[in-house]
Amino acid sequence: MPRFSVTYSLSASEATEAREKAFDICVEQTVEFPYDLITERWIRERLVGRIEALRRLAPGRYAAEISYDERVAGGEATQFLNVLFGNTSIKPGVRVERIRPSRGLLRMLPGPRFGVRGLRRLTGVRGRPLLCSALKPMGLSARALAELAYRFALGGIDLIKDDHGLADQRFAPFEERVRRCAEAVRRANRETGGACLYVSNVTAEAAQTLRRARTARLAGAGAVLVSAALTGFATMREVARDDRAGLPVFFHPAFAGSFTAAPASGFSHAALYGQLARLFGADASIFPNFAGRFAFTRAECRSIAEGCRLHMGAVKACFPAPGGGMSFQTVPRLVAFYGVDTVFLIGGGLFRHSADITRGCRDLKEAVAEAAAARRLS
Amino acid sequence: MPRFSVTYSLSASEATEAREKAFDICVEQTVEFPYDLITERWIRERLVGRIEALRRLAPGRYAAEISYDERVAGGEATQFLNVLFGNTSIKPGVRVERIRPSRGLLRMLPGPRFGVRGLRRLTGVRGRPLLCSALKPMGLSARALAELAYRFALGGIDLIKDDHGLADQRFAPFEERVRRCAEAVRRANRETGGACLYVSNVTAEAAQTLRRARTARLAGAGAVLVSAALTGFATMREVARDDRAGLPVFFHPAFAGSFTAAPASGFSHAALYGQLARLFGADASIFPNFAGRFAFTRAECRSIAEGCRLHMGAVKACFPAPGGGMSFQTVPRLVAFYGVDTVFLIGGGLFRHSADITRGCRDLKEAVAEAAAARRLS
């Protein structure tokens, strides 16, 4: 039976201790039972995780690659996450660094439906990064948000997303909002000849998320936003795979910060924002840019972009979508840093640039196109 | 409009910086928009979070109580979590310490259906802690797991839970497992005259979790186990509130470890394992005991027990359910530490004690009853 593997980093003073800790993960993540008391040989030899490699990363820190029999995950995305990091998430000093999916795992987690190429096809944008703005502040009516969407789209922005805090509040109920905003973007597209997509936030309780994704598509939204740490990652996967939803999926990191908050626990940035978001269906993975009001480092942001693109069987690459700290001044630097296959999120900066949002969008698009052209020449 | 509030601890060198950071949370968790650019007065004055109190906890560390208008949560559990700790989860050095729900919030998050009293009524256990064992290792057939359940129940254990890694794997498919295990426990109960409950793991993808909870009830399970960090917390709430499921809910911490992994980020142990698990419907909250193979301290474990019991409107108290490190030797100490209203999980220790599981259960129950009696006398 094929095995997928996970590389964990772990704290240990020397190799013997590291091997013990790695073996402990093998047991904890599968049978969770005293190894010496397991009487069935196939359980001991096949179901228990297996140390495939162990190496020292730095003084006191080791990397252990552990493989798991696909049957342990049992064809379920939640149980896959449980094998990946269920109880071990509670152990100190263990971090998920890299996932190496097997073919069977990829049948369950085939990744984004559209990916970089698909999203470029839908937006018609080539040769430059995509630009995404956000509808806010919360408290505006659906009508006012739609008016804002219209002005963004008229300025030629590529993607307009709901702020992730827009749920189904009375001041802008979901159904009215998605209908009005999708219609406003369609109207602007007719005027500009563009193909701006409205990214509707469908994050909601349990089965409601999928229902909203389907409603969003019927209303003419172009993509959906899912805060997977709020809905559960498996719900994002369901939205991505559902043919009646069938829209590109933007992963939002709300409530996910704890996964990367401790340097030696949780997930590496690449594994969470790159691999995991992608395996669970994200066509674009939103994360806080290093220059912004959050605390990700340049190296962490770079690793996320790598995780969005690294080879994983037939899984499509997704867009890294850094947000925060984007201004007209920083555009060239950010385009050079992240590369052309990036979605840049700009929120407050656009409002600050000019009272004329439409003009602000045009200026920004021009600045990004120039930066992308300069990068090609250099 | 009523407001609920959250106390965050945050890192700041002095009070002015602390106030700035607290204000930043007020904005980030609601409008996520440059405050000075908000034109609507009601949004600025009502929707934006409000600093209710600010005090120094220790050098470099402050506590900020921030209140939020109930309308921001919009009556949805996922959006409540987003307001509680959405983007702020990504900011360094901010931790959720305590939640103070408002009455409106408690209508949405009414807490456990059964609570301590309800679960005591169902199990018929008074005056001593409840004992819970686990069906494992993974890899056993449904028939073998049921046989194990029978032997546990015959020994008078109060609760028998699926290991949280038992999902719907081929070696013990969910429906067959729940049917056989529930039947085995019923059979033992008829023989002993006891009221042991089988706690079925229903953790699954999206809407499947609720379906399994309903199936479990129809099959005669006595309670369900939900790993809320895998399913999404709102899914656990749905299971707890659903009348067709309608069974006691055990919260399992798989995949939740990152929330408490960093000392100054994420959640306090009391807020996560106590308040949050309870608000989202847990009748018992499972967490790693300080004496076991995980790393929670005594103080953290004590705070969890407090969080399970502290006053929150009409929300019922739930059982703290420490697991790990429980042996016959440690029973008296643990009963003294956690108190009588506790569910003690014992897994490997029971298998180690004696090859005769039924006898092991009897011995353990006796030891716990003695410890509880000794505590009453002391």
Side-chain angles (χ1 to χ4, degrees):
Chain A
M1 181 59 65
R3 303 173 77 84
F4 62 91
S5 80
V6 182
T7 300
Y8 303 90
S9 62
L10 49 86
S11 304
S13 52
E14 35 70 49
T16 310
E17 190 195 347
R19 187 162 292 275
E20 274 167 21
K21 286 200 173 176
F23 183 68
D24 178 70
I25 296 172
C26 294
V27 172
E28 188 73 56
Q29 294 309 96
T30 55
V31 293
E32 209 199 327
F33 192 83
Y35 186 74
D36 54 305
L37 297 183
I38 303 173
T39 48
E40 293 77 358
R41 194 172 148 188
W42 80 278
I43 296 180
R44 234 174 23 238
E45 293 186 357
R46 304 285 321 170
L47 285 196
V48 171
R50 189 184 293 160
I51 304 173
E52 302 287 350
L54 186 72
R55 67 195 168 85
R56 205 177 80 136
L57 292 172
R61 200 82 187 151
Y62 288 78
E65 184 183 352
I66 293 175
S67 72
Y68 299 103
D69 190 304
E70 282 176 358
R71 285 173 294 186
V72 177
E76 289 189 303
T78 34
Q79 174 58 10
F80 163 68
L81 291 174
N82 187 36
V83 178
L84 177 67
F85 204 47
N87 273 5
T88 292
S89 74
I90 316 171
K91 301 230 162 171
V94 183
R95 180 175 240 215
V96 175
E97 297 288 347
R98 177 67 72 96
I99 303 160
R100 279 186 188 74
S102 58
R103 206 173 289 178
L105 195 70
L106 292 181
R107 273 195 295 277
M108 172 169 76
L109 299 168
R113 184 185 281 257
F114 297 90
V116 169
R117 282 197 205 170
L119 202 52
R120 284 207 177 278
R121 199 176 58 240
L122 290 173
T123 54
V125 178
R126 286 165 182 245
R128 66 162 173 82
L130 274 64
L131 284 172
C132 180
S133 63
L135 300 177
K136 43 177 145 178
M138 169 190 292
L140 295 185
S141 67
R143 194 183 289 270
L145 292 168
E147 174 57 27
L148 193 55
Y150 176 73
R151 290 194 286 148
F152 277 135
L154 218 53
I157 203 105
D158 307 304
L159 301 151
I160 300 167
K161 76 177 207 15
D162 282 336
D163 194 28
H164 75 283
L166 297 177
D168 190 33
Q169 295 98 337
R170 283 208 195 144
F171 36 78
F174 173 75
E175 293 207 16
E176 185 192 349
R177 188 175 79 243
V178 68
R179 191 167 42 75
R180 286 192 189 276
C181 290
E183 155 55 26
V185 171
R186 252 195 320 267
R187 185 156 50 92
N189 282 342
R190 278 197 300 269
E191 295 178 36
T192 62
C196 173
L197 303 182
Y198 165 55
V199 186
S200 168
N201 179 31
V202 297
T203 303
E205 299 176 15
Q208 188 65 24
T209 303
L210 183 60
R211 282 197 288 273
R212 285 201 189 151
R214 290 173 173 174
T215 302
R217 180 172 185 186
L218 285 175
V224 295
L225 182 75
V226 179
S227 299
L230 293 172
T231 63
F233 272 80
T235 296
M236 182 169 82
R237 168 186 169 273
E238 191 181 43
V239 168
R241 297 201 66 184
D242 186 76
D243 289 330
R244 286 166 62 193
L247 293 175
V249 172
F250 281 58
F251 164 81
H252 192 283
F255 208 63
S258 302
F259 290 120
T260 57
S265 300
F267 284 82
S268 73
H269 293 70
L272 182 72
Y273 290 99
Q275 293 194 284
L276 211 59
R278 205 171 138 206
L279 285 170
F280 280 76
D283 298 283
S285 177
I286 297 175
F287 61 94
N289 179 35
F290 58 87
R293 61 196 191 279
F294 296 89
F296 284 15
T297 65
R298 291 172 68 91
E300 287 161 355
C301 290
R302 193 188 304 277
S303 76
I304 292 173
E306 285 164 4
C308 289
R309 294 158 184 163
L310 64 81
H311 178 75
M312 286 196 285
V315 177
K316 296 185 177 81
C318 81
F319 278 101
M326 178 100 185
S327 69
F328 286 73
Q329 290 70 43
T330 56
V331 161
R333 200 153 47 91
L334 290 175
V335 173
F337 183 84
Y338 285 108
V340 168
D341 283 338
T342 305
V343 171
F344 285 110
L345 263 61
I346 184 157
L350 207 51
F351 291 93
R352 285 222 184 277
H353 174 69
S354 156
D356 181 350
I357 289 285
T358 302
R359 178 162 169 195
C361 290
R362 279 195 198 121
D363 292 351
L364 183 66
K365 203 165 89 170
E366 207 166 287
V368 166
E370 269 173 31
R375 194 165 173 271
R376 276 197 301 277
L377 292 175
S378 68
Chain B
M1 180 60 64
R3 302 174 77 85
F4 62 92
S5 81
V6 183
T7 301
Y8 304 90
S9 62
L10 50 86
S11 304
S13 53
E14 36 69 50
T16 310
E17 190 196 347
R19 188 163 290 277
E20 275 168 22
K21 286 201 173 179
F23 183 69
D24 178 70
I25 295 172
C26 294
V27 172
E28 187 75 56
Q29 294 308 96
T30 55
V31 294
E32 209 200 325
F33 192 84
Y35 186 74
D36 54 303
L37 297 183
I38 303 172
T39 49
E40 293 77 357
R41 193 172 149 187
W42 80 277
I43 296 180
R44 232 174 26 237
E45 293 186 358
R46 303 287 319 170
L47 286 196
V48 172
R50 189 185 292 159
I51 302 172
E52 301 288 348
L54 186 71
R55 66 193 170 86
R56 204 177 81 137
L57 292 171
R61 201 79 190 155
Y62 288 78
E65 184 182 354
I66 295 175
S67 72
Y68 300 103
D69 191 304
E70 282 177 359
R71 287 173 294 185
V72 177
E76 289 189 301
T78 35
Q79 174 58 10
F80 162 68
L81 291 176
N82 186 37
V83 177
L84 177 66
F85 205 46
N87 273 4
T88 292
S89 73
I90 317 174
K91 301 228 164 173
V94 183
R95 180 174 241 216
V96 175
E97 296 289 346
R98 179 65 75 98
I99 303 160
R100 279 188 187 70
S102 58
R103 205 172 292 179
L105 196 69
L106 291 182
R107 273 194 296 277
M108 172 169 74
L109 298 169
R113 183 185 282 256
F114 298 88
V116 169
R117 280 197 207 171
L119 201 52
R120 284 205 177 279
R121 200 176 56 242
L122 289 173
T123 54
V125 178
R126 286 166 181 244
R128 65 162 174 85
L130 274 62
L131 284 173
C132 180
S133 62
L135 300 176
K136 46 177 146 178
M138 167 190 295
L140 294 185
S141 66
R143 194 183 289 268
L145 292 167
E147 173 57 27
L148 193 55
Y150 175 74
R151 290 193 286 148
F152 276 135
L154 216 53
I157 205 104
D158 307 304
L159 301 151
I160 299 167
K161 77 177 206 17
D162 281 336
D163 193 29
H164 75 284
L166 297 177
D168 189 33
Q169 295 98 337
R170 284 208 195 144
F171 36 78
F174 173 75
E175 292 207 16
E176 185 193 348
R177 188 176 78 242
V178 69
R179 188 167 42 76
R180 287 190 189 276
C181 291
E183 156 54 24
V185 171
R186 250 196 322 268
R187 187 156 47 94
N189 282 342
R190 275 197 303 268
E191 295 178 35
T192 63
C196 172
L197 303 183
Y198 165 55
V199 187
S200 168
N201 179 31
V202 298
T203 304
E205 301 177 13
Q208 187 65 23
T209 303
L210 182 60
R211 279 197 291 273
R212 286 203 189 149
R214 290 173 174 175
T215 303
R217 181 173 185 187
L218 285 175
V224 294
L225 182 75
V226 179
S227 299
L230 292 173
T231 63
F233 273 79
T235 295
M236 183 169 81
R237 168 186 168 273
E238 191 181 43
V239 167
R241 299 202 65 186
D242 186 76
D243 289 329
R244 285 167 61 195
L247 293 175
V249 172
F250 281 57
F251 164 80
H252 192 282
F255 208 65
S258 303
F259 290 120
T260 57
S265 300
F267 284 82
S268 74
H269 292 72
L272 182 72
Y273 290 98
Q275 292 193 285
L276 211 59
R278 203 171 138 206
L279 285 169
F280 280 76
D283 298 281
S285 178
I286 297 175
F287 62 93
N289 180 35
F290 58 86
R293 61 195 192 280
F294 297 90
F296 285 15
T297 65
R298 291 172 68 92
E300 286 161 356
C301 289
R302 193 188 304 278
S303 75
I304 291 173
E306 285 164 5
C308 288
R309 294 158 184 165
L310 63 81
H311 179 75
M312 287 196 286
V315 178
K316 296 185 177 80
C318 81
F319 278 101
M326 179 100 183
S327 68
F328 285 73
Q329 289 71 41
T330 56
V331 161
R333 199 154 48 92
L334 290 175
V335 174
F337 183 85
Y338 285 109
V340 167
D341 283 339
T342 305
V343 172
F344 286 109
L345 264 59
I346 183 157
L350 208 48
F351 290 93
R352 284 219 184 279
H353 174 67
S354 156
D356 181 350
I357 289 285
T358 301
R359 179 162 167 193
C361 290
R362 281 197 196 118
D363 292 351
L364 184 66
K365 203 165 91 171
E366 208 166 284
V368 166
E370 271 174 30
R375 194 165 175 270
R376 277 197 301 278
L377 292 175
S378 71

